[in-house]
Amino acid sequence: MEKESILGYDSACYVNSGRFLCSEVLSVSDYLCTFANNKKSEQQRNRMKRILPLFMATGIMMLGAVACKEKKQSEPDIITTKYVPEKPQAPIRMSVDQRQTDIKWLGRQYVVKVQRTPVDSLPMVADETGQKYIDNKVTLTIMRSDSSVFFSKTFLKSSFSSYIDNDYQKRGVLENIVFHEVDDNELEFSVIVSHPDADDEYIPLEMNINGQGGIHIERGNLFDERDDDDFDDEDDD
């Protein structure tokens, strides 16, 4: 083997089968390859620096789109429920109502007592929904100042059947009897037969009692408005 100077390098080169195996030449080749690889890596890094913001912007837009889609999907659906009428409750009854009025009539003092009481044994009435209501009886008592009884009678809805139509006979209740005034030496009362729980559906009757205890009844319109205090029921008791 011969030692020669190649490419100005003093390092040893060896001839083997007609070829020079030079460690320095190989070192230069490795250096050039490493340089080329480093240059390529630097170019790739520069390229990544340029496209990285684009990737980030695209990612943010995609995340926003997904969030909007999820929010839209998470919004509750509007569901329309079918109207179902309420089922009738147990039979409804009015409360017991007692009223007492002191009056001067025919030159004497009297006490007028009216008591309304629901009666389970009376035929019930029902409205258009099938809800049932218990009818009432009303007891009217007129007492003298010495507590003796001048007049006493219990009224039912049937007591006024000649003055109300079939609809109120079937679907109406005797709501109450209320003392109104002394008129021409007679005691005047207002009688109300009504559809239960319907403030504007009723038949007003006028009932007069004379000094002999006689009764006169006729249909009337003495109270066109039912917000008069005399007709306020005590149903909240």
Side-chain angles (χ1 to χ4, degrees):
M1 291 187 292
E2 296 179 0
K3 181 176 181 183
E4 296 181 2
S5 175
I6 300 176
L7 298 177
Y9 287 90
D10 293 334
S11 301
C13 294
Y14 303 91
V15 177
N16 185 7
S17 301
R19 294 183 181 180
F20 290 101
L21 298 177
C22 181
S23 60
E24 281 76 7
V25 172
L26 293 177
S27 299
V28 171
S29 177
D30 292 342
Y31 171 79
L32 292 176
C33 290
T34 303
F35 177 79
N37 290 334
N38 291 339
K39 188 68 175 179
K40 185 177 181 181
S41 298
E42 184 178 358
Q43 291 176 349
Q44 291 178 345
R45 287 195 296 271
N46 291 335
R47 184 181 179 186
M48 288 299 296
K49 289 180 180 179
R50 290 195 300 269
I51 66 175
L52 182 60
L54 179 61
F55 284 154
M56 294 179 64
T58 304
I60 292 173
M61 293 176 64
M62 292 179 64
L63 289 175
V66 172
C68 291
K69 184 177 180 181
E70 290 180 350
K71 181 178 180 181
K72 184 175 181 180
Q73 292 178 348
S74 64
E75 292 179 355
D77 295 333
I78 299 176
I79 301 175
T80 302
T81 57
K82 183 179 179 181
Y83 171 73
V84 179
E86 294 185 0
K87 294 182 179 180
Q89 308 173 29
I92 298 175
R93 69 177 65 221
M94 294 182 176
S95 62
V96 175
D97 180 42
Q98 300 183 52
R99 302 168 187 259
Q100 179 173 311
T101 307
D102 296 329
I103 63 170
K104 187 174 183 179
W105 179 43
L106 302 176
R108 298 180 181 180
Q109 291 297 126
Y110 289 85
V111 177
V112 178
K113 294 183 179 181
V114 181
Q115 178 172 307
R116 179 193 66 197
T117 307
V119 181
D120 294 338
S121 59
L122 290 174
M124 294 186 187
V125 300
D127 61 16
E128 62 276 4
T129 67
Q131 177 62 58
K132 293 184 178 181
Y133 297 84
I134 296 174
D135 207 347
N136 307 299
K137 67 177 182 181
V138 179
T139 301
L140 171 60
T141 304
I142 303 173
M143 301 180 63
R144 303 181 183 90
S145 58
D146 61 1
S147 297
S148 61
V149 176
F150 167 74
F151 178 91
S152 181
K153 183 175 176 62
T154 296
F155 296 90
L156 306 176
K157 180 179 63 179
S158 58
S159 305
F160 308 98
S161 58
S162 300
Y163 309 96
I164 58 178
D165 56 31
N166 290 333
D167 177 57
Y168 281 89
Q169 291 187 35
K170 294 179 180 179
R171 297 178 50 232
V173 297
L174 177 58
E175 185 174 322
N176 219 338
I177 298 176
V178 179
F179 173 72
H180 183 44
E181 63 180 356
V182 177
D183 184 28
D184 293 334
N185 294 326
E186 293 185 341
L187 302 182
E188 186 175 291
F189 297 85
S190 294
V191 180
I192 294 296
V193 177
S194 67
H195 287 154
D197 284 353
D199 292 339
D200 57 348
E201 298 179 10
Y202 65 99
I203 294 179
L205 302 176
E206 179 182 336
M207 182 175 70
N208 291 356
I209 298 178
N210 59 31
Q212 290 73 45
I215 300 174
H216 174 75
I217 302 172
E218 63 182 17
R219 292 188 64 159
N221 55 356
L222 292 176
F223 300 98
D224 292 334
E225 299 294 334
R226 296 189 60 200
D227 58 356
D228 190 282
D229 291 340
D230 289 341
F231 289 95
D232 290 339
D233 289 326
E234 304 296 334
D235 295 340
D236 297 333
D237 293 348

XYZ file of all heavy atoms in Angstrom, residues 58-70:
88
model
N -57.079 27.383 11.023
C -58.048 26.390 10.541
C -58.615 25.571 11.698
O -59.814 25.287 11.752
C -57.368 25.465 9.527
O -56.814 26.241 8.470
C -58.370 24.472 8.951
N -57.757 25.214 12.662
C -58.218 24.440 13.827
C -59.209 25.224 14.661
O -60.221 24.689 15.128
N -58.920 26.513 14.851
C -59.838 27.344 15.648
C -61.199 27.439 14.966
O -62.251 27.353 15.600
C -59.234 28.744 15.868
C -58.004 28.639 16.779
C -60.260 29.684 16.480
C -57.240 29.936 16.923
N -61.171 27.620 13.628
C -62.443 27.698 12.898
C -63.214 26.396 12.997
O -64.437 26.398 13.174
C -62.160 28.037 11.435
C -61.587 29.437 11.215
S -61.164 29.748 9.479
C -62.791 29.638 8.738
N -62.501 25.268 12.912
C -63.185 23.977 13.022
C -63.770 23.777 14.406
O -64.896 23.284 14.557
C -62.204 22.851 12.699
C -61.759 22.822 11.242
S -60.576 21.501 10.891
C -61.596 20.060 11.235
N -63.011 24.167 15.442
C -63.539 24.053 16.808
C -64.771 24.909 16.998
O -65.747 24.515 17.651
C -62.450 24.446 17.814
C -61.287 23.461 17.972
C -60.237 24.058 18.897
C -61.782 22.128 18.519
N -64.740 26.128 16.429
C -65.912 27.004 16.540
C -67.119 26.414 15.848
O -68.243 26.481 16.358
N -66.887 25.821 14.661
C -68.005 25.213 13.938
C -68.597 24.050 14.715
O -69.810 23.880 14.800
C -67.528 24.756 12.557
N -67.721 23.219 15.308
C -68.208 22.082 16.105
C -68.979 22.559 17.321
O -70.031 22.025 17.677
C -67.014 21.193 16.530
C -67.468 20.135 17.522
C -66.391 20.537 15.305
N -68.463 23.618 17.989
C -69.154 24.142 19.176
C -70.532 24.667 18.813
O -71.510 24.436 19.526
C -68.304 25.238 19.815
N -70.626 25.384 17.681
C -71.927 25.902 17.256
C -72.892 24.772 16.938
O -74.075 24.816 17.273
C -71.752 26.811 16.035
S -70.894 28.359 16.389
N -72.353 23.713 16.279
C -73.210 22.574 15.951
C -73.708 21.877 17.210
O -74.878 21.523 17.329
C -72.438 21.602 15.068
C -73.276 20.427 14.588
C -72.480 19.546 13.649
C -73.327 18.381 13.164
N -72.552 17.497 12.259
N -72.796 21.690 18.187
C -73.203 21.036 19.434
C -74.219 21.872 20.174
O -75.174 21.364 20.753
C -71.975 20.794 20.308
C -71.041 19.710 19.754
C -69.842 19.499 20.641
O -69.655 20.329 21.566
O -69.095 18.527 20.426
